[in-house]
Amino acid sequence: MTSNQPAPDGVMRLINGYWNTGVIGAAATHSVFTHLENGAETAAQVAARAEISERGAQSLLDGLVSVELVVLEGGRYRNTPEATEFLVEGKPASLAGFARLKLQHTGSLIDLPEVVRIGGPLAGGETEVADNPHWEGIVPAIAAVSVPAADAGVEALGIADAGEISILDVGGGSGIYSSIWLKANPRARATQLDWEPINAIAHRLVGEHGVGDRFTTLDGDFHTTDFGTGLYDIAVYSHIAHQENADSNIEVFTRLRKSLKPGGALVVADYVVDDDRAAPAFPLLFALEMLLKSNEGGTWRRADYREWLLKAGFEDVSFHAAPPATMVIAR
């Protein structure tokens, strides 16, 4: 192979990419990142603390070095800054639970070639239900996904200095926006609209953040539940638009605008692609998950959100980075 010929290493790494999910999910399952953060430095020490085989611990550590989440120096292993921030249990933005959750989804990829051929899911698409017994595991696991956007919203909306504001979080799940925003502003109050079993989980999680006394819930489905008129200073619609079609998003945006006080703001956080669909990388890849699981969902362009929000009656639309998501603010 000459110096001008491409090497197969990169393609091989991509073809075997499912091992990334496997090694991170398995490491999170056995709290490897947490043990490293708490002082374990060798395969033997990790094995002892995690109560796994030393051979297994060594293989996990080899894999984590490969995917650049763990560094080996002088025979000692340690987390990278990214692993410390996002994979150590108990951290506000920890994705350890999310890594364990995604490990369970790898089998569905076997259907992707046929899903691409027919243009949608094989079994009619996933339909979420209120009494899903898995909510107790799923809701906390996906909470950290919204932390970057919630943190960005504190600054972009000036929440800390906004005084006595009222917040509506539609489909709020874990209540992570309420937890972060109510902690930033001790005079704010928040209401979450979601199914009753999910709201029950949110009450517990928001309470653990110490702001449960200013958090209330409204049981219902956002497709049909009335949001009210002129009640809120801020409304949130986070990681929902990607599962809805254009008409549904416009309809919900219109009702959310009606729910806002004069001068109020709607915050939409989601995986948004550029208008030419050339970037960002993660939202482009996420489009395949929507193809696999939903009948009409997708990763929508900035131009789509702008058009929908203007049709809903908003006049000013701005976009703010919250990697890997984008936060859209409409007034």
Side-chain angles (χ1 to χ4, degrees), residues 6 67 76 89 117 133 150 160 164 167 173 194 257 294 298-300 328:
V67 299
R76 304 289 177 175
E89 295 160 345
R117 188 186 72 80
E164 295 182 11
I167 301 162
D194 215 320
R257 182 180 179 276
S294 72
T299 45
W300 310 118
V328 190

Side-chain angles (χ1 to χ4, degrees), residues 94-109:
S94 176
L95 294 166
F98 188 63
R100 294 191 293 268
L101 177 67
K102 297 306 289 187
L103 184 57
Q104 301 170 23
H105 295 175
T106 54
S108 64
L109 291 176

Side-chain angles (χ1 to χ4, degrees), residues 20-21 23-29 31 33-34 69 81-103 137-149 174 176 239 271 282 322-325:
N20 295 347
T21 305
V23 69
I24 299 169
T29 298
S31 303
F33 302 104
T34 304
L69 287 172
E82 291 79 9
T84 292
E85 184 71 16
F86 300 114
L87 288 166
V88 173
E89 295 160 345
K91 294 267 187 173
S94 176
L95 294 166
F98 188 63
R100 294 191 293 268
L101 177 67
K102 297 306 289 187
L103 184 57
I138 293 172
V139 170
I142 64 177
V145 173
S146 294
V147 168
S174 67
I176 191 65
H239 291 288
Y271 302 129
F282 184 83

Side-chain angles (χ1 to χ4, degrees), residues 92-169:
S94 176
L95 294 166
F98 188 63
R100 294 191 293 268
L101 177 67
K102 297 306 289 187
L103 184 57
Q104 301 170 23
H105 295 175
T106 54
S108 64
L109 291 176
I110 195 69
D111 296 329
L112 192 56
E114 181 64 9
V115 166
V116 169
R117 188 186 72 80
I118 65 175
L122 300 186
E126 292 186 353
T127 301
E128 302 290 9
V129 294
D131 59 352
N132 185 338
H134 302 297
W135 286 135
E136 187 61 46
I138 293 172
V139 170
I142 64 177
V145 173
S146 294
V147 168
D151 285 341
V154 172
E155 181 176 354
L157 296 164
I159 286 176
D161 301 317
E164 295 182 11
I165 57 172
S166 56
I167 301 162
L168 172 66
D169 190 353

Side-chain angles (χ1 to χ4, degrees), residues 19-291:
W19 280 106
N20 295 347
T21 305
V23 69
I24 299 169
T29 298
H30 293 297
S31 303
V32 170
F33 302 104
T34 304
H35 294 312
L36 289 172
E37 198 69 14
N38 291 334
E41 296 182 318
T42 66
Q45 291 172 352
V46 168
R49 297 193 187 192
E51 298 181 347
I52 58 177
S53 68
E54 186 171 341
R55 182 186 180 196
Q58 185 63 66
S59 296
L60 280 180
L61 290 168
D62 289 345
L64 293 173
V65 170
S66 172
V67 299
E68 300 180 351
L69 287 172
V70 167
V71 174
L72 174 63
E73 293 178 342
R76 304 289 177 175
Y77 293 94
R78 61 175 173 82
N79 289 325
T80 63
E82 291 79 9
T84 292
E85 184 71 16
F86 300 114
L87 288 166
V88 173
E89 295 160 345
K91 294 267 187 173
S94 176
L95 294 166
F98 188 63
R100 294 191 293 268
L101 177 67
K102 297 306 289 187
L103 184 57
Q104 301 170 23
H105 295 175
T106 54
S108 64
L109 291 176
I110 195 69
D111 296 329
L112 192 56
E114 181 64 9
V115 166
V116 169
R117 188 186 72 80
I118 65 175
L122 300 186
E126 292 186 353
T127 301
E128 302 290 9
V129 294
D131 59 352
N132 185 338
H134 302 297
W135 286 135
E136 187 61 46
I138 293 172
V139 170
I142 64 177
V145 173
S146 294
V147 168
D151 285 341
V154 172
E155 181 176 354
L157 296 164
I159 286 176
D161 301 317
E164 295 182 11
I165 57 172
S166 56
I167 301 162
L168 172 66
D169 190 353
V170 174
S174 67
I176 191 65
Y177 281 87
S178 296
S179 295
I180 291 174
W181 291 0
L182 295 182
K183 287 176 75 173
N185 181 343
R187 300 173 66 190
R189 304 190 68 85
T191 299
Q192 173 170 301
L193 168 64
D194 215 320
W195 287 321
E196 187 279 331
I198 295 178
N199 281 337
I201 298 170
H203 269 292
R204 186 186 78 245
L205 296 176
V206 174
E208 290 173 358
H209 282 85
V211 292
D213 58 323
R214 292 179 285 126
F215 176 74
T216 58
T217 55
L218 178 62
D219 297 338
D221 187 313
F222 72 87
H223 293 100
T224 56
T225 302
D226 184 13
F227 301 149
T229 302
L231 298 177
Y232 304 100
D233 297 286
I234 301 172
V236 185
Y237 187 74
S238 179
H239 291 288
I240 299 174
H242 62 246
Q243 68 190 29
E244 304 290 316
N245 62 27
D247 290 341
S248 176
N249 281 324
I250 293 170
E251 192 275 332
V252 174
F253 292 163
T254 301
R255 288 192 287 123
L256 284 171
R257 182 180 179 276
K258 180 183 175 184
S259 77
L260 291 171
K261 298 176 182 178
L266 169 62
V267 175
V268 181
D270 219 314
Y271 302 129
V272 181
V273 297
D274 293 346
D275 290 346
D276 62 2
R277 302 197 73 86
F282 184 83
L284 289 173
L285 196 61
F286 186 76
L288 286 168
E289 180 156 347
M290 288 298 94
L291 183 70

